[in-house]
Amino acid sequence: TRTKGALALQPSFGFFSERLLISPGARLERNLDTEDGGDDATLDAVTAQVGARWMFHRNVFLKGNIGHFERVPSLFELFGDRGAVVGNTDLVTESGTNRDLGLVFSSSGRRLSVGWFINDAFDLILPVQISPVAVKFQNLSRAEIQGFELEGDTGRAGPFRARAAFTRLWTEDRSGRSYADGHPLPGRPGVVLDAAVFAYAGRWTLGADYAWMDENFAQTGSRAPIPERKLIGLSTDYALGQGWSVLGRVDNLGDEQVFDLYGYPLPGRQFALSIRKEHRP
């Protein structure tokens, strides 16, 4: 049983007529784990960060953040699920220094943002495949993660709307182990792309989305490759009036066979039909 408590403080300070916004913050988390017939354990996690935003124009601003973060292992990572995930009670708290810088344009529903981030991680908790049908969370003594993100949304442009998000990720195992040092981290694809387009016609909204993920690996040292995936989805939304609508959706239209863990494939083609009610004050 885990009992958790947290205390956080994050004030904001504006300068130069609110053109510059600075927001320092800190968070203290305490976890008390109680095991039947065993000893109690106390796990603490401390976060300290400062973020800033400089507004060039009311629609264009630069933002950045630097901080130290800690995360305690979850009960799922510690004890598994008695199935595909094997527990590891030797896990310790992971920590890291995160830095990011981004430029954002936003106006009337349209948005374009570009960002760069660099993370130095210590004792990073990673799921590692240990058999054809099982994974185990393990600590990696040191790793470096950096990447580039690009996100755009056209907003409603006549009868159409489009949005896309692209992430390019570089990861490196820096634990010093001969078989893994310098290799990419498992479970972190180098390229991820998500895109969607929508068409509006009266009460109808038709949509199509595309998701592509680069090849990655299930084990450290670039072992047990997980193939790239390309998934297509279709959706339709019909407005009934007074906030009610009927939604239909098909995921994985091509019925691609994909997986994140060997022996446990993700669903193939899926169909969903739902009714939604939106309340608008």
Side-chain angles (χ1 to χ4, degrees):
T1 302
R2 170 169 290 179
T3 304
K4 177 185 293 187
L7 179 65
L9 180 66
Q10 187 166 5
S12 296
F13 305 96
F15 303 92
F16 308 110
S17 301
E18 302 296 326
R19 177 164 291 188
L20 173 63
L21 183 68
I22 298 179
S23 180
R27 184 177 190 271
L28 173 62
E29 176 183 300
R30 169 154 291 189
N31 299 269
L32 177 62
D33 290 355
T34 304
E35 183 178 358
D36 291 342
D39 297 329
D40 295 346
T42 301
L43 302 174
D44 293 333
V46 177
T47 295
Q49 67 182 102
V50 59
R53 186 197 69 192
W54 175 261
M55 189 172 293
F56 294 102
H57 182 271
R58 67 176 182 271
N59 298 327
V60 182
F61 55 91
L62 181 72
K63 62 178 183 177
N65 181 81
I66 183 170
H68 169 81
F69 299 88
E70 296 180 353
R71 185 181 74 86
V72 303
S74 67
L75 294 182
F76 177 68
E77 293 165 340
L78 288 169
F79 302 107
D81 62 359
R82 298 185 180 180
V85 179
V86 178
N88 183 3
T89 57
D90 293 327
L91 290 174
V92 298
T93 298
E94 68 177 21
S95 63
T97 301
N98 297 355
R99 302 169 292 275
D100 62 76
L101 185 67
L103 184 65
V104 180
F105 165 81
S106 180
S107 175
S108 303
R110 300 187 300 274
R111 180 180 174 89
L112 178 64
S113 64
V114 58
W116 182 270
F117 57 89
I118 301 177
N119 301 334
D120 294 315
F122 301 90
D123 295 318
L124 184 66
I125 299 174
L126 288 173
V128 177
Q129 187 138 10
I130 59 173
S131 78
V133 293
V135 296
K136 184 178 184 179
F137 286 91
Q138 300 178 3
N139 284 113
L140 182 66
S141 61
R142 187 178 178 188
E144 184 175 283
I145 303 169
Q146 57 180 311
F148 167 86
E149 293 179 326
L150 180 64
E151 183 179 1
D153 191 332
T154 65
R156 181 78 176 262
F160 299 103
R161 179 185 180 186
R163 63 173 181 246
F166 173 83
T167 301
R168 178 68 172 97
L169 191 67
W170 293 272
T171 65
E172 184 178 353
D173 185 322
R174 302 185 64 182
S175 62
R177 298 173 300 177
S178 59
Y179 66 91
D181 196 62
H183 287 266
L185 301 179
R188 282 172 165 80
V191 179
V192 176
L193 172 65
D194 290 289
V197 293
F198 302 92
Y200 304 90
R203 292 176 176 264
W204 291 93
T205 301
L206 306 177
D209 55 81
Y210 175 79
W212 181 70
M213 182 182 295
D214 196 11
E215 177 188 64
N216 61 100
F217 302 92
Q219 295 180 353
T220 56
S222 301
R223 297 174 298 172
I226 298 175
E228 68 174 20
R229 68 185 61 168
K230 303 174 183 177
L231 302 177
I232 297 174
L234 298 176
S235 64
T236 180
D237 186 333
Y238 181 75
L240 299 172
Q242 297 183 338
W244 289 93
S245 59
V246 178
L247 296 86
R249 180 165 181 83
V250 182
D251 287 304
N252 194 357
L253 183 66
D255 199 25
E256 301 291 333
Q257 298 300 305
V258 296
F259 58 89
D260 292 325
L261 172 63
Y262 290 105
Y264 294 86
L266 298 176
R269 187 183 297 115
Q270 304 168 74
F271 301 89
L273 184 65
S274 59
I275 298 177
R276 180 176 62 190
K277 175 68 168 69
E278 289 188 353
H279 174 68
R280 297 176 181 177

